[in-house]
């Protein structure tokens, strides 16, 4: 659990997750940001990637500690999206890590304000029968953060209209793996849409999948 890691290990893990996000093809350039819940210098809060630095030039000491009331400490300024990171940690006890990317396929759907409906059973990996798309608001604003928290209600991922996507997890590897899964689902949905609207699974069928995922723990796309 990232919350149990020491501060230095957590800073290194955040940098590694940001680099992995780009290496995996779910983000490009300086867009996106990563955070993890943690304690810094005795203050409970979270640690987030800084604004304006390319990930390959970001060192563990550049990661910015913030308190849950939004106070940043250290030499660097936090990501401009720190508000939705803070509000996710405030409202979701199950979130110890947040990954935000401008993943190409998820963002393609989000540019049409489309979420991902139950076209494939793995949509349940995000915790519900669909993956919502939060309405558009300017990046960095409280309005965007409010939309994000609402779109994540009962879910571990959402798309952001005309912007990108967010995945949360109990740890950084969990949040990153979910972001990869959401991007994979977005790509398959986009491909499926190219030959027409795909039929959707019923609520009853999705309830069966959600029940199986709850029974077997965090799904990883492996069918037994
Ligand atoms: Zn963004």
């Amino acid at each position: 659990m990232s919350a149990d890691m020491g501060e230095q290990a957590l800073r290194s893990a955040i940098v590694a997750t940001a680099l992995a996000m780009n290496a995996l093809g779910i983000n490009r350039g300086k867009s996106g940001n990563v955070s993890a819940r943690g304690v810094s210098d005795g203050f409970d809060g979270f640690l987030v990637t800084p604004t304006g630095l390319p990930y390959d030039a970001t060192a563990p000491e550049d990661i910015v500690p913030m308190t849950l009331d939004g106070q940043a400490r250290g030499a660097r300024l936090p990501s401009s999206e720190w508000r939705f990171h803070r509000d996710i940690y405030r409202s979701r006890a199950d979130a110890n890590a947040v990954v935000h990317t401008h993943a190409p396929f998820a963002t393609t759907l989000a540019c049409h304000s489309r979420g991902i409906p139950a076209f494939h059973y793995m949509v349940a990996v995000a915790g519900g029968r669909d993956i919502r798309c939060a309405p558009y608001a300017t990046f960095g604003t409280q309005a965007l953060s409010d939309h994000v928290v609402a779109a994540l209600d009962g879910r571990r991922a959402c798309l952001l209209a005309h912007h990108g996507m967010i995945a949360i997890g109990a740890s950084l590897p969990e949040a990153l793996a979910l972001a990869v899964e959401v991007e994979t689902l977005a790509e398959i949905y986009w491909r499926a849409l190219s030959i027409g609207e795909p039929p959707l699974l019923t609520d009853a069928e999705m309830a069966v999948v959600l029940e199986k995922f709850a029974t077997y723990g965090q799904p990883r796309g492996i069918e037994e």
Side-chain angles (χ1 to χ4, degrees), residues 52-200:
L53 268 188
Y55 297 128
D56 58 7
T58 302
E61 54 267 31
D62 293 319
I63 299 302
V64 183
M66 294 194 79
T67 60
L68 288 178
D69 55 10
Q71 305 300 313
R73 283 171 300 117
R76 297 277 180 199
L77 289 172
S79 161
S80 57
E81 296 290 22
W82 62 268
R83 282 184 182 80
F84 65 61
H85 290 266
R86 175 199 61 185
D87 292 344
I88 289 168
Y89 295 123
R90 273 181 168 176
S91 61
R92 295 289 295 262
D94 59 331
N96 289 322
V98 176
V99 169
H100 164 55
T101 86
H102 296 184
F105 289 98
T107 306
T108 299
L109 296 176
C111 286
H112 285 275
S113 295
R114 291 185 84 127
I116 306 177
F119 80 105
H120 188 289
Y121 82 93
M122 279 299 289
V123 166
V125 75
R129 61 176 302 282
D130 58 7
I131 297 169
R132 303 184 189 103
C133 183
Y136 181 78
T138 308
F139 76 93
T141 59
Q142 188 60 45
L144 177 60
S145 182
D146 293 346
H147 290 325
V148 163
V149 169
L152 284 173
D153 186 34
R155 305 284 187 275
R156 291 184 288 272
C158 68
L159 307 189
L160 312 183
H162 311 284
H163 185 159
M165 65 123 113
I166 292 175
I168 67 178
S171 65
L172 284 162
E174 258 191 49
L176 181 64
L178 180 57
V180 170
E181 188 61 50
V182 172
E183 175 65 349
T184 302
L185 288 163
E187 179 175 1
I188 300 168
Y189 184 47
W190 177 81
R191 287 177 185 278
L193 284 169
S194 73
I195 52 172
E197 285 284 343
L200 301 181

Side-chain angles (χ1 to χ4, degrees), residues 191-217:
R191 287 177 185 278
L193 284 169
S194 73
I195 52 172
E197 285 284 343
L200 301 181
L201 296 169
T202 63
D203 285 356
E205 284 161 337
M206 287 302 281
V208 171
V209 177
L210 287 161
E211 174 64 25
K212 281 174 79 84
F213 281 1
T215 307
Y216 294 117

